[in-house]
Amino acid sequence: MDIIIVMAIGIIIGNFIKNKNFKIINEKIQLIATIILIFAMGINIGSKENFINELANLGITSFIFFIIPTILSIIVVYFLTKRFMTNKERKGN
């Protein structure tokens, strides 16, 4: 819930600030924050004692969570494209 509140505040602030310099600074802050987040996640995962044993199970679960939404998304987009786009739009002309 805290994440949603912080995101909503960020969206509201971002909607009012249109300064180009702020956008550049914000992009750099986001990049640094993302790097710190990935680093912290790596430390958290690396500190687990039986991480190597859990990796195989985690890999299979992650693959299932990846493949099912991907296939379903492709199917939905395919049928929506067939239904709503003309041949000319599909070819990009």
Side-chain angles (χ1 to χ4, degrees):
M1 186 63 161
D2 295 337
I3 295 171
I4 294 174
I5 293 170
V6 171
M7 285 178 59
I9 292 170
I11 291 169
I12 292 168
I13 291 172
N15 192 31
F16 291 113
I17 299 175
K18 306 286 185 188
N19 188 351
K20 193 167 192 136
N21 289 333
F22 179 76
K23 182 179 181 270
I24 294 169
I25 293 169
N26 188 28
E27 288 174 355
K28 290 180 182 180
I29 291 171
Q30 288 178 5
L31 179 64
I32 292 168
T34 304
I35 290 170
I36 291 170
L37 176 66
I38 293 170
F39 181 74
M41 289 172 60
I43 290 174
N44 187 19
I45 291 172
S47 66
K48 291 184 178 183
E49 290 183 19
N50 55 353
F51 172 70
I52 300 299
N53 296 334
E54 294 175 2
L55 189 59
N57 188 27
L58 181 66
I60 293 169
T61 305
S62 297
F63 182 76
I64 291 171
F65 279 117
F66 146 75
I67 197 71
I68 292 173
T70 301
I71 290 172
L72 292 176
S73 296
I74 291 170
I75 292 170
V76 168
V77 168
Y78 175 77
F79 285 113
L80 288 175
T81 302
K82 288 279 237 186
R83 171 78 170 96
F84 293 109
M85 290 183 74
T86 64
N87 285 335
K88 191 175 187 180
E89 289 174 328
R90 277 187 233 149
K91 291 179 182 177
N93 293 333

